[in-house]
Amino acid sequence: MSRFRDLAIGTALAVTLGAGPALAERLGLGRPALPEEIAAWDVKVMPDGRGLPVGSGTVADGEDLFSFHCAVCHGEFAEGVDNWPQLAGGEGTLDDADPVKTVGSYWPYLSTVWDYVNRSMPFGGAQVLEPDEVYAIVAYILYSNFLVDDDFELSNENFIEVQMPNVDGFIPDDRDEVELPLFVREPCMTDCKEGVEITMRATVLNVTPDM
Amino acid sequence: MTSPVTPTTSRRGFLKAGLATGGALAAGGAAAQEPDPLITEVQHWAQGFGEGVDATPYGLPIDYESDVVRRNVEWLTADVISSINFTPIHALDGTITPQGCAFERHHSGAIDLPKEDYRLMINGLVDTPLVFTYWDLERFPRENHVYFCECAANTGMEWAGAQLNGAQFTHGMIHNMEYTGVPLRTLLNEAGIRTEGKWIFVEGADASSNGRSIPLDKALDDCLVAFKANGEALRKEHGYPVRLVVPGWEGNLWVKWLRRIEVTDGPVESREETSKYTDTLANGISRKWTWVMDAKSVVTSPSPQSPITHGPGPLVITGLAWSGRGAIQRVDVSIDGGKTWQVARLAQPGQPMALTRFYLDIEWDGSEMLLQSRAMDSSGYVQPTKNELRDVRGLNSIYHNNGIQTWWVKANGEAENVEVS
């Protein structure tokens, strides 16, 4: 099987990887993945909605589901319980001294909410939700963030029409431009500053575990 | 008994300190007043038997080293399942981290995944999507490399100021191991990358999945699909049986229990690269894809958990330096809070994207010190102060705090985590 695969696609590989590093010949290890296997594991959803299954869910259904599956940690209104993550609120706080980062205030893409809830929530009982349930819960999280009305229904059809408030709030790493010019330098060795004052002490806070 | 010595000021100081604490009398050339019974009396270990070779098929450290363990800080996270613990770097030396006390960071706990049940899928923009068993992976040509794995959040609690009192807590979200594995490019080659492929998406077998997007350039450069660390199988908590090694890049990308690699035309923008592992600047805009861990260092001893107990005299100042941008070339140490610096000695030449051990041997006069270390890497990058970082980023970026650490060593030898002007 694998030997046949090598013969069949060896030529294509040489062409497609022409610009890449020189690669050794294939060893013919592993075996082709079956469509059912890929479908079971490849559940990612891209920002443009690719990967979403067909389905839909309403805010009202989401409220019930959220109450049952999620509210014990995230609160009935997605406001968070104790130290557990707050999923709603915090609008306009990102430049505050203490920003409140939630789905509504911070997350750039709705695809991430769907993907993460679908594959990793509820915490301790992941991958139990059906697609329609995930749509409904995501619709409820949007509602909790005042981003949709209470009669909203989210589906694979209207999914990418939802605009997340902080979609433009991210820039790719710019350390090379902003920080390297400052920090690539000849360091000072002597008389680097006149005085040195202690400005803060960890023992004042006293939050280190006893040893 | 001992050779005659000419007492020097420092030796006298040492002796005085030794007398004061009642310890260390026989060292440093000071004359003993009484014969040492540990020498003059036959000890039981010099008489009877120790343990047989069948006592310990796989050993743990001796009981006396029981403080050299991982520790967690309860208030940092909501629970211990999606949480962090810390490597006891204050007590280690050299560069290789013992796996048994190397830090852990899980998002849904350390799962138990037998080799028999392990599967690795490569799919997406490839000629042939593939499934590998664990045993398939062992048949590919292997490489060995030593790299540090530093959590993006290492030192993150210190952005707002000095908080946790110990190098283990401020800098211990790191380990450094010798990995054995298969270059990721070898596995991608086996599936055949299509021209539209620009990124990969990697995810784990655990419930959190920890999916992350990585540009194809990095994937084809030096990433390793590793199944051994420090000579033996990965520990359960470090991804047994297979994890991804992403040299120089933030620990979150080192996906454990690696189950799937997908070649994609763009980034997935998963939870771990949007909600988390993005760095908010003072203006509310956040950096994303801050993959590289910049040059960093810390004095591991003396430090709050490793005080000076021997009084004035010869003192070994030691620590670790590392950089995701290349090899450590030099480490400077200051004992006066950064007014003056001395070049420390590297135990070995720095290796790319690996921990480097440094030493500065001084004659401590017993006065207070403000200890700092400053790493320089092969790209010319010089580790900045915390305030220099804050000037650029503000206080809320959470991740990537590589600012210079200060320990205030007091006259009694105790040390404290402080910030200085």
Side-chain angles (χ1 to χ4, degrees), chain A residues 2 5-6 9 12-13 15-17 20-34 36-48 50 81-85 93-99 101 106-109 111-112 115-116 119-121 123-127 166 168-176 178-180 182-211, chain B residues 71-73 75 77-79 81-82 107-108 119 121 123 127-132 136 139-141 160-165 169 185 189-193 195 201 203 207-209 220 259-260 262 264-271 274-275 278-292 294 305 325 330 332 336-343 370 374 376 379-384 388-389 392-393 396 398 400 408 410 416-421:
Chain A
S2 52
R5 191 186 75 233
D6 287 350
I9 58 185
L13 178 85
V15 175
T16 54
L17 280 181
L23 289 163
E25 278 187 27
R26 294 182 189 178
L27 297 179
L29 293 168
R31 51 117 178 136
L34 299 175
E36 298 88 338
E37 294 171 329
I38 296 172
W41 275 10
D42 182 356
V43 295
K44 58 113 196 14
V45 179
M46 305 284 275
D48 60 9
R50 280 182 292 164
V81 174
D82 299 333
N83 240 351
W84 296 100
T93 65
L94 296 181
D95 57 356
D96 287 1
D98 275 314
K101 298 183 182 181
Y106 193 63
W107 291 36
Y109 303 111
S111 56
T112 315
D115 179 298
Y116 186 67
R119 72 167 76 214
S120 296
M121 287 287 136
F123 192 55
Q127 303 193 75
N166 198 40
D168 295 322
F170 296 83
I171 53 169
D173 187 359
D174 63 353
R175 281 176 291 174
D176 284 5
V178 174
E179 297 184 7
L180 291 199
L182 299 172
F183 303 147
V184 174
R185 58 191 170 182
E186 196 52 48
C188 173
M189 295 301 286
T190 53
D191 301 321
C192 300
K193 48 189 177 185
E194 288 195 0
V196 178
E197 297 285 323
I198 291 173
T199 56
M200 205 161 180
R201 299 178 51 183
T203 57
V204 174
L205 273 174
N206 196 26
V207 291
T208 309
D210 291 332
M211 274 169 295
Chain B
R71 293 185 191 279
N72 74 323
V73 176
W75 55 264
T77 51
D79 76 333
I81 302 298
S82 179
H107 294 79
S108 52
R119 299 290 184 274
M121 182 184 290
N123 75 312
D127 295 330
T128 310
L130 294 174
V131 171
F132 299 107
D136 291 333
R139 297 172 65 191
F140 284 96
Q163 281 220 53
L164 286 161
N165 206 30
F169 302 108
R185 88 177 81 82
N189 178 43
E190 200 70 9
I193 304 168
T195 40
F201 183 66
E203 63 181 41
S208 84
S209 132
L220 294 175
R259 86 166 189 187
R260 197 173 72 88
E262 180 181 354
T264 59
D265 58 4
V268 170
E269 302 273 9
S270 69
R271 186 253 196 181
T274 54
S275 170
T278 50
D279 316 351
T280 302
L281 304 170
N283 63 4
I285 297 292
S286 303
R287 289 173 172 164
K288 64 177 180 179
W289 304 336
T290 46
W291 297 307
V292 174
D294 283 316
Q305 297 159 284
R325 295 183 185 275
R330 198 176 101 190
D332 298 333
D336 59 12
K339 283 198 280 190
T340 57
W341 295 85
Q342 310 175 58
V343 178
L370 290 167
R374 182 175 68 190
M376 282 166 266
S379 78
Y381 181 101
V382 178
Q383 183 183 3
E388 285 174 323
L389 286 177
V392 176
R393 306 185 196 171
N396 285 320
I398 302 176
H400 291 279
W408 174 26
K410 298 159 203 183
E416 181 176 347
N417 175 12
V418 297
E419 297 242 351
V420 294
S421 55

Side-chain angles (χ1 to χ4, degrees), chain B residues 311-325:
Chain B
L315 170 69
V316 175
I317 297 171
T318 186
L320 293 165
W322 62 95
S323 174
R325 295 183 185 275

